Structures are given as C-alpha cells and as structure tokens.
Amino acid sequence: MPALDPILADIDRDLDTSLERLFAFLRIPSISTDPAYAAECRRAAEWLRADLSAIGFNASLRETGGHPVVLAHLPKPGAPHVLFYGHYDVQPVDPLDLWETPPFEPRLVTLPDGRRAISARGACDDKGQVMTFIEACRAWQAMQGELPVGVTILIEGAEENGSKHLPEWVAANRDELKADLALVCDTGMWDSATPAITTSLRGLAYFEVFVRCADRDLHSGLFGGAAANPIHVLSRIIADLHDDQGRVTLPGFYDAVREPPAEVLERWRALNLTPENFLGPIGLSRSAGERDRMLIEQVQSRPTCDANGIIGGYTGEGTKTVIAGQASAKISFRLVEDQDPEAVAASFSDFVRARVPEDCSVEIVTHKGSRALALPFDMPALGAARHALEAEWGVAPVTIGSGGSIPIVGDFKRSLGLDTLLIGFGLDDDRVHSPNEKYDLQSFHKGMRSWARILAALAG
Amino acid sequence: MPALDPILADIDRDLDTSLERLFAFLRIPSISTDPAYAAECRRAAEWLRADLSAIGFNASLRETGGHPVVLAHLPKPGAPHVLFYGHYDVQPVDPLDLWETPPFEPRLVTLPDGRRAISARGACDDKGQVMTFIEACRAWQAMQGELPVGVTILIEGAEENGSKHLPEWVAANRDELKADLALVCDTGMWDSATPAITTSLRGLAYFEVFVRCADRDLHSGLFGGAAANPIHVLSRIIADLHDDQGRVTLPGFYDAVREPPAEVLERWRALNLTPENFLGPIGLSRSAGERDRMLIEQVQSRPTCDANGIIGGYTGEGTKTVIAGQASAKISFRLVEDQDPEAVAASFSDFVRARVPEDCSVEIVTHKGSRALALPFDMPALGAARHALEAEWGVAPVTIGSGGSIPIVGDFKRSLGLDTLLIGFGLDDDRVHSPNEKYDLQSFHKGMRSWARILAALAG
C-alpha cells in the first residue's frame, strides 16, 4: 500500500482547481423535476462523463427512460471493488427571491461565524458530495497512477424526482454493477467537527391530496355559511393527523415499529441531544414531536408525518373573499424498519376519505415510497472507514441513523446483494432543498482527504 | 309621466354605440391599488366627466387626497332626487397569463352556453354597471330632454383599494350630496333570468395570519419529528374555528347575533331554499354550515367564517420533503348586525395566539373591516323598483340579503341620512376580481332598460 501523504498533499495543493471544477459543475442548472431543464440535466451528465474520462475511467452515458445515468469503471484486478453512487440533478430553486446570490452562480462565502462555504444549488446535495469523492480518485490517479481498489461510479440524474427509472435500470445491469460494497455520499456529519457513518435510513411514503368541493371558486359573501370549503376540509385532515401528545393518529401506524435495543437507547441517552442543542441553530427551542420520546428517537428511530406543502384559494397581496373550489396538500411519512409504505398508503387513504364531505371529492396521488433500511453493524468495511475518518478528523466518527431516505440503498441490497457504507460531509445547516444551499469548504477539503483515506483502508 | 316606450326603443337602437362608449371606458387601465396607474385612474375620471357633461350633467372632478371623485348633478326641482354611486377603478389583473384575451382590450365573446358577454377587467365591476345606469340617463335625455327625477352621480376611484378617503369626503360634502334616496349598482341578479334587490349586507372582518417556526425551510428527513411545522399549526387553527355542528367556535362570536323576526323566518321557510337548489348549480348538494339552521339563514342572517386562502411549503410539481419555515392563511368572517369587527379581531387574535407553540411566532394583519347593514323593508322606493324590474324581466325580483359588504352604504346612512336601494345586474359567473371578468350583454342591455324604468318609477 503506497503512503497516503503525497496524495493528501496533492489534494491540499489542488484545492483551488478542485473548486473550479466543482463550480463549473454547479453552474449547470440540472433541475430534474422540471422538464424545461432536461437538456441541462443531460449537459451535467456529459460534463461528468468527460471529467471521469479525463482521470482514466471508462465512462459513458446510459439511457434509462428518464435523465441518463453516468456510469464509469476503473477496475483493479485482484483488489476489492466498490460501487460509488451519487446524483447530478438538483432541487428546484424557488422561492428565487430568498436567494442572497443567484443559485447557479456558485461562489465562496464567509458565514457569520467565520466558516467559509460554497454557496449554490447543489453545493452539498449532491454535486459537492459527488465531487468530493471524484477529487479523491483524481488525486490517487495523479500521484499513483491507479486507485487502491477497483471503482465503479454510478451518478444518476433523477434522485430529486424519485429515481423512477433507476431500480429497473440497476436490476437490468446487474452484471456490470458487480462489486463488493456500495458507497453512498448523500449523507451528513454529526457536526462540523465530527464525521459520521450512517447505518440506518428512514423510509418514505409521500402523498398529494387534492380536495375538490364546488366546481368553481365562490364569493364568500354569497356562499359563505353553506358551501363546503376545501381549505377547511384539508386543515381538518392535517390537524387530525397528530394528537396533542405529538403522536401520529393514523390507525395502525405504530404497529410495526420496534423499540431500539436497550444498549442503543443507553448510548443515545449519553449523547444528551437536547431540543435546545438540536433546534437552537434553526431558531426553535422545543420539540414538536412525541412527548414521551428523547429527541434523538424522534428524529432517528420513530416514524413521523409532515405536511410538506399546502395551497388553496387566494394567495396574492391583499384580500379576496373567495371560497376556493379546490385545495391541495403534500403530506409525507418518514417510516422506520418493518413499516410497509403500502400499508401506510391504505391507512392514509381511509383516514383522508373519512374526513371529506359526501358531496366533495378527493384525489390522493401516491408518489414513490420506500421502506426503511438498517445496515449490519458488523460489516468489516465499517471498521475500516471508521479508522480512516478518525485519522483525518482526530475524533472517532459517530454512527447515526438518518431520518432521510435513500431508496437506492435498498435496491443495491435487493438487486445486487450489496451492503452500503453511507458517508457524507453535509452539515445540518447546509440548507439542502432550500434557498442559499451551501457546502462548507472544510467539508469539501477534508472530505476529499477522508475519501482518499477510506479508499486506501478499503483495499484491506 | 311620459311614455317609456320611446326611451326603451332608443336604448335598443343605441346598443352598439353604448357598447363603443363602454369599451372606450374599459380600455383605460384604472387600477387603483397600484400607484403606477394613478394617471390612468385620473384619465378614467376625466373620461367620465366629459361623458356626463355631454349628456347635460354639471360634472367635475373633486380631489379627495387619493384618486379624484367624479361628481355630476342634474337637478329637477319639485321631483325626488337620487344619489347614484359607483366606481371607475378596477382590480389588478394578475395572474395575467390566465386571461384568454388582454384585460384592457374589451371585446364581445360567446360563452359555451351561447350567451354573449363583454370580456374585460371592469366589464362588470364596476364600469359596466356604472355605464348601464348612465346609458339609461342618456336615453332619457335624448328622447325627453330631461330625467324623470333629479340625479346626482358620484363615481369614486378607490373602491378596490378600500375607499380610504371617501367617508371623510362624503361627510365634508354633505350639503352637495343631499338627496331622497341613494342608488348603488355594485350588486347582482338572483340568476340570469331573475333580477334582485339587495336589502341587507353582511359585514366583514378579514385577517391574514403568518405563522413562523424555524428560521428557514428544513429537510423533513433531518428535522421531521422534532421541528414545529407551521402548516400543522395553521391547520389546527383553521380546523378549530368550526365545531362538528358547523358553528364558529370563536369565543363570544354569536353573542351579538339576533334571531330574525318570526314573520321573516316564516317567509324564508316558505321560499324552501334547499341545499340541492342553492348548491346544485355549483356542484354541491349538502350544506357545510350550521346544522340547526335553514340554508337561507346560513347565507343571510348568520355570521360565518371562511379561510379564503392558504399557502406554505412546497407547492410546485412533484415532491419535496421540506418542513416550511413559514405558512400563511387569509381568514375572514362575515358579520351580521350588531357584531363589532373590532371585537371579532380581538377574539380572533386570542384564539390564534393560544394555538401557536411558544417557540414559534405569529403575525396577524387586520385588513379593513365593516359592520353589517340592514335596509328597511318598508321603503316606498323598494316597491317602485320592484314593479319596474318585474315589468322589464317578466318575473318578480327576488329580495336578497347579500353576504357581501359595501361600506359606502353605511356612510350614506350615517353622513347623509340616506337609505340605499341596491340594484345591479352582475351574475355569479362574472369572475369579478378574477381573470376573464365578463358582463353579460343581456345584463347590459336589459339593465339599461331596467334603470330607465326605475328612474320613471321613482318619480312617483
């Protein structure tokens, strides 16, 4: 095994040009959910293909039915082989007027506490995280002419749009994706000084509810007091979804939820994550969740429900005395192991329909769901990654459960038989999916160094 | 009293040039709420002044501190004198992309059911309704050289902006506005075949509620289960505003509400207005209102509450697992006689604040409120107008209470001691305040004939 120092030194030396490459990637507005940006998605894929080819990968675009996948191979006979996953698409940018600088004009900014950060849509999720890994590969190639392990890189373009075509594509390309381990970078650190390895992921069930009452918008002066108001119907549904103890009221919702083992609860208790600590940085101080649970349970091991969006009636400036004909809401559930998204969908449908007046109608659109996933605590790769991260950061990484869902991890297990190591360098204040998304410069820099070390550690 | 026939014949003959005049008036974008259109508002006022002068009125612009008022007199010594009120300003036109034709390029369109209509911003509200009256005066002048009653015309330019300066201006010009009766045209018909006279107006208290939780939008995978969700908070507030019997739960809300006299209830019962009749045309069949009330009570004599708009979180296509930092709703109350808008505002504020978590904040913006108003059922003018409308339409006009509020009617009573006859030819499907506003050609044509008849009837 070659010495790591020259590789780490190359990463340090090359930081500015690494940033230039990332900025070029960030300038491409590859918003996957909006068909108007389809060509930009392809342009982002093409940019990645060219960059990976330049450092020696055999890279190509592969059609999926949606935005193309970038697939790149750099095998190393006799060594372990890893499959790295990320995505080149980004979230929409609205509301645009809340961005302090244009979302697709990346720049370095200094945060109020003095940290330096890369500001742009996708800076963290996931272009920054993807390039953190690719730059580590580049340094290895530059200094050693080879990687310590065989690597396949799979970067998709529809993660923010539910990865509709990916599971099928992965299953169909099983042979070409063969590996010993999957790596996924779409996760975060414990805090800006402490790296983390994510070992469990919550699942997701996501619904859109359209309540339709009158067949047109009505004047409240004429019809108020008689006509059903879809905003009232929807508000009742959302309000009823939680009781006054913060529990989700959907029948059967907690049936399949298991308690974490006593030793895990003990370890969590020792972390002493208080609402003030966890919520203080976002301007809150009290948990709105289940009253009888620790905060770390609320966000890691307990299933949750949130209305993610609602719209109905007049939402412009000033007043309009209208009773809307329709109102809609997006409502999603974070699931934990053994909860079945389809069972949640059935229960939710009954719950909603029971609250819609007979002469009104409701349409429930079910977006992609995913089961929760727990990774084996005894994976050998876990220990190797843990040591590599500790060497870089000077503190042992925390092993965490993530509230987010990364459905591809389940597909890797089912279709390819692969366990996944989830390591990323995002921070809670990265404003992922929000205006002014950022990625700490330290996350990028020490993240590249971390991946360079992890690749070496995985060589065994 | 001269025969009406030549006057009605003149209206029929002159329909095309009446339309040309209305179109010229509609082409002026007199949007009162937007300061950029101040000059256009003045241009609309000037257009009216010139038109009224041309038919013999002594017309002038009068400064109010806001957009000018058009005041025009044509007295008739010995005859009753009426004060006609309307407004020349119009609502904003956004969202502009929903207009099928440009809002300030009026044209005749054919509706899907074959009706002909005038399409433009202000076609009904209120330029069309104003010109319906003025054209009736024009026909009288053309054929008789005089009006059957003395007429003062008061057309303001800030009705869509809350008529801020008008009450003061009316009070200050009390002597010049002396009359026996006020006429207001800003109302509608019962349906396209049945005219109506409005005899009561509900008051209004209108609020906008902004709930703010986290200081940014959050990822529900990271914060779901702990962070307060402003959509949940707002939904709880809206859901709590009604009980399961359809009653408004605001403390004290019904304290000042009186029961209608037994004979009025008897008459209403005889009308047998069923939910199927009233709500059927808008695609509903069951009343959502107070269970123990007749439908006609629900929409005329009982106060109500409606959420007129709500928005929060992600409302675009597809999914976004966000917990919004803020959500807002517009919530209004229709008031009946003796309910005080300020008391409702105080009670509403307490109600809302009691439901916002301690670490979140709420802002309540109170828009203009107005008290309810009931007109005397025994006004002699009411009987005269009723006969005139029946002669024109072939069916007796319906006497309705309007859920809408027209605050100037209260000012006429308070400052001038005048009762008001509210007669208009708008229809429920006129899309007043919305894109593609229209005014039925029949409303314009038979409305002019109706006013010509009413003027004659009011001469006694």
Side-chain angles (χ1 to χ4, degrees):
Chain A
M1 174 59 48
L4 268 165
D5 288 348
I7 293 156
L8 299 178
D10 182 64
I11 287 171
D12 296 347
R13 221 172 20 238
D14 201 34
L15 180 59
D16 281 353
T17 49
S18 298
L19 272 174
E20 276 169 33
R21 283 185 289 267
L22 173 56
F23 280 21
F25 191 25
L26 289 170
R27 282 191 198 101
I28 306 172
S30 46
I31 302 169
S32 56
T33 51
D34 187 339
Y37 291 88
E40 298 293 348
C41 289
R42 190 165 291 269
R43 194 152 72 87
E46 180 52 41
W47 185 94
L48 269 180
R49 190 205 57 71
D51 192 55
L52 288 166
S53 297
I55 58 174
F57 279 81
N58 176 11
S60 58
L61 299 200
R62 308 292 287 271
E63 299 306 326
T64 63
H67 303 301
V69 150
V70 181
L71 189 67
H73 298 292
L74 191 46
K76 179 162 184 173
H81 195 93
V82 299
L83 169 64
F84 176 87
Y85 163 87
H87 61 92
Y88 64 77
D89 63 317
V90 299
Q91 279 276 319
V93 296
D94 57 278
L96 192 56
D97 56 335
L98 293 186
W99 285 81
E100 284 160 24
T101 61
F104 297 110
E105 296 177 17
R107 62 194 73 196
L108 278 179
V109 297
T110 303
L111 304 180
D113 63 3
R115 280 181 289 157
R116 301 274 286 162
I118 301 150
S119 171
R121 170 56 84 228
C124 173
D125 180 19
D126 190 31
K127 288 175 174 170
Q129 298 250 39
V130 163
M131 292 309 291
T132 304
F133 180 80
I134 292 176
E135 293 296 343
C137 295
R138 190 187 318 274
W140 268 97
Q141 287 286 86
M143 303 312 290
Q144 294 293 334
E146 62 170 10
L147 300 181
V149 292
V151 175
T152 293
I153 294 182
L154 163 63
I155 313 289
E156 70 149 322
E159 199 271 348
E160 305 294 4
N161 199 18
S163 301
K164 285 190 200 73
H165 302 281
L166 195 64
E168 202 183 327
W169 187 88
V170 165
N173 292 273
R174 196 176 288 126
D175 289 343
E176 202 178 340
L177 298 173
K178 261 199 187 123
D180 301 296
L181 176 73
L183 300 175
V184 164
C185 64
D186 210 354
T187 62
M189 300 182 41
W190 176 253
D191 58 36
S192 66
T194 316
I197 302 175
T198 299
T199 54
S200 70
L201 295 168
R202 286 197 283 193
L204 184 68
Y206 199 114
F207 307 99
E208 204 159 353
V209 179
F210 298 86
V211 174
R212 298 186 179 105
C213 295
D215 60 15
R216 72 201 72 176
D217 286 357
L218 306 171
H219 190 303
S220 78
L222 291 172
F223 289 99
N229 182 325
I231 299 177
H232 297 188
V233 174
L234 212 46
S235 293
R236 163 66 54 207
I237 290 167
I238 294 171
D240 281 358
L241 276 168
H242 290 89
D243 66 17
D244 60 3
Q245 299 301 306
R247 282 173 65 89
V248 176
T249 57
L250 209 59
F253 188 63
Y254 294 102
D255 288 357
V257 179
R258 287 180 300 179
E259 296 296 330
E263 69 269 21
V264 170
L265 284 173
E266 204 48 57
R267 226 180 312 142
W268 282 355
R269 204 164 284 122
L271 280 174
N272 193 28
L273 186 69
T274 65
E276 291 76 9
N277 290 345
F278 184 71
L279 298 172
I282 55 164
L284 294 172
S285 59
R286 305 161 72 94
S287 171
E290 290 179 90
R291 291 263 172 96
D292 57 348
R293 298 286 170 173
M294 287 187 288
L295 192 135
I296 196 164
E297 289 178 275
Q298 293 172 346
V299 297
Q300 290 197 10
S301 63
R302 300 292 295 176
T304 62
C305 167
D306 269 292
N308 305 109
I310 188 167
I311 188 164
Y314 180 66
T315 58
E317 285 294 306
T319 66
K320 186 167 169 178
T321 49
V322 68
I323 300 174
Q326 168 180 310
S328 65
K330 298 177 198 270
I331 299 172
S332 65
F333 298 85
R334 294 284 173 184
L335 308 180
V336 298
E337 212 179 356
D338 295 337
Q339 279 186 300
D340 176 5
E342 287 180 27
V344 170
S347 176
F348 181 69
S349 172
D350 291 347
F351 186 93
V352 168
R353 287 175 206 285
R355 285 162 179 80
V356 175
E358 272 181 55
D359 58 345
C360 303
S361 68
V362 64
E363 181 189 353
I364 303 175
V365 175
T366 301
H367 291 285
K368 191 175 160 60
S370 63
R371 281 180 167 272
L373 206 91
L375 304 171
F377 267 86
D378 53 0
M379 278 165 71
L382 193 60
R386 211 193 283 267
H387 287 118
L389 285 168
E390 182 164 1
E392 174 61 28
W393 295 84
V395 289
V398 177
T399 307
I400 57 173
S402 166
S405 67
I406 305 180
I408 189 66
V409 175
D411 293 302
F412 285 164
K413 185 73 184 176
R414 274 188 300 277
S415 290
L416 310 177
L418 288 185
D419 286 324
T420 299
L421 207 51
L422 293 122
I423 298 173
F425 302 94
L427 293 174
D428 288 349
D429 68 356
D430 278 347
R431 292 184 289 264
V432 158
H433 293 200
S434 297
N436 303 309
E437 178 178 350
K438 62 90 179 161
Y439 187 44
D440 274 24
L441 185 58
Q442 177 184 265
S443 288
F444 186 51
H445 185 187
K446 288 177 77 68
M448 294 188 280
R449 293 171 52 101
S450 298
W451 278 122
R453 292 179 189 271
I454 293 167
L455 287 173
L458 292 176
Chain B
M1 174 59 46
L4 268 165
D5 287 348
I7 293 156
L8 300 177
D10 183 63
I11 287 172
D12 296 346
R13 217 169 27 237
D14 201 34
L15 180 59
D16 282 352
T17 50
S18 298
L19 272 174
E20 276 169 33
R21 283 185 289 267
L22 173 56
F23 280 21
F25 191 24
L26 290 170
R27 283 191 197 100
I28 307 172
S30 45
I31 301 169
S32 56
T33 51
D34 187 340
Y37 291 87
E40 299 293 349
C41 288
R42 190 164 291 268
R43 194 152 71 88
E46 179 52 40
W47 185 93
L48 268 180
R49 190 206 57 72
D51 193 55
L52 287 166
S53 297
I55 58 174
F57 279 80
N58 176 12
S60 58
L61 300 201
R62 307 293 286 271
E63 299 306 325
T64 63
H67 304 300
V69 150
V70 181
L71 189 67
H73 298 292
L74 191 45
K76 178 162 183 173
H81 196 92
V82 299
L83 169 63
F84 177 87
Y85 163 88
H87 61 93
Y88 62 77
D89 63 318
V90 299
Q91 279 275 319
V93 296
D94 56 280
L96 192 56
D97 57 334
L98 293 186
W99 285 81
E100 284 160 24
T101 61
F104 297 111
E105 296 177 17
R107 63 194 72 195
L108 278 180
V109 297
T110 303
L111 304 180
D113 63 3
R115 280 181 290 158
R116 300 275 286 162
I118 300 150
S119 171
R121 170 56 84 227
C124 173
D125 180 19
D126 191 32
K127 288 174 174 171
Q129 298 250 39
V130 163
M131 291 309 290
T132 304
F133 180 80
I134 291 176
E135 293 296 342
C137 295
R138 191 189 316 274
W140 267 98
Q141 287 286 85
M143 303 312 289
Q144 293 294 333
E146 63 171 9
L147 300 181
V149 292
V151 175
T152 293
I153 293 182
L154 163 63
I155 313 289
E156 69 149 323
E159 199 271 349
E160 306 294 5
N161 199 19
S163 302
K164 285 190 200 76
H165 302 282
L166 195 64
E168 201 182 327
W169 186 89
V170 165
N173 292 272
R174 198 175 288 127
D175 289 343
E176 204 179 339
L177 297 172
K178 260 197 188 124
D180 301 298
L181 176 73
L183 301 175
V184 163
C185 65
D186 211 354
T187 61
M189 299 181 45
W190 178 252
D191 58 36
S192 67
T194 317
I197 302 175
T198 299
T199 54
S200 71
L201 296 168
R202 285 197 283 192
L204 185 67
Y206 199 114
F207 308 99
E208 206 159 353
V209 179
F210 298 87
V211 174
R212 300 187 177 104
C213 296
D215 60 15
R216 71 202 70 176
D217 285 357
L218 306 171
H219 191 302
S220 77
L222 290 172
F223 290 98
N229 183 324
I231 300 177
H232 297 187
V233 174
L234 212 46
S235 293
R236 163 66 53 208
I237 291 167
I238 294 170
D240 281 357
L241 276 168
H242 289 89
D243 67 17
D244 60 4
Q245 298 302 305
R247 280 173 67 88
V248 175
T249 57
L250 209 60
F253 189 63
Y254 294 101
D255 288 357
V257 179
R258 289 179 299 178
E259 297 295 330
E263 69 268 20
V264 170
L265 285 173
E266 204 48 57
R267 224 178 315 139
W268 282 355
R269 203 163 285 121
L271 278 176
N272 193 27
L273 186 67
T274 65
E276 291 75 10
N277 289 346
F278 185 70
L279 299 172
I282 55 164
L284 294 172
S285 60
R286 305 162 70 94
S287 171
E290 290 178 271
R291 291 261 173 96
D292 57 348
R293 298 285 171 174
M294 289 186 287
L295 192 135
I296 196 163
E297 289 179 275
Q298 293 172 346
V299 297
Q300 291 198 9
S301 64
R302 300 292 294 176
T304 62
C305 167
D306 270 291
N308 305 109
I310 188 166
I311 188 165
Y314 182 66
T315 58
E317 285 295 307
T319 67
K320 185 167 170 178
T321 49
V322 67
I323 300 175
Q326 169 181 310
S328 65
K330 298 177 198 271
I331 298 172
S332 66
F333 298 85
R334 293 285 174 183
L335 308 180
V336 297
E337 214 177 354
D338 295 337
Q339 278 186 302
D340 176 5
E342 287 180 26
V344 170
S347 177
F348 181 69
S349 173
D350 291 346
F351 185 93
V352 168
R353 287 175 205 285
R355 285 163 178 79
V356 175
E358 271 180 55
D359 58 345
C360 303
S361 69
V362 63
E363 182 189 353
I364 303 175
V365 175
T366 301
H367 292 284
K368 192 174 159 64
S370 63
R371 281 180 167 271
L373 206 92
L375 304 171
F377 268 87
D378 53 1
M379 278 164 70
L382 193 59
R386 210 193 286 266
H387 288 119
L389 285 168
E390 182 165 0
E392 175 60 30
W393 295 84
V395 288
V398 176
T399 306
I400 56 175
S402 167
S405 66
I406 304 178
I408 189 66
V409 175
D411 293 302
F412 285 164
K413 185 72 185 178
R414 274 187 301 276
S415 290
L416 309 177
L418 287 186
D419 287 323
T420 299
L421 207 50
L422 294 121
I423 298 172
F425 302 95
L427 293 175
D428 289 348
D429 69 356
D430 278 347
R431 293 185 288 266
V432 158
H433 294 201
S434 297
N436 303 309
E437 179 178 349
K438 62 88 180 163
Y439 187 45
D440 274 23
L441 185 57
Q442 178 184 264
S443 287
F444 187 51
H445 185 186
K446 288 177 78 70
M448 293 188 280
R449 292 170 54 102
S450 298
W451 278 123
R453 291 179 190 271
I454 293 167
L455 287 173
L458 292 176

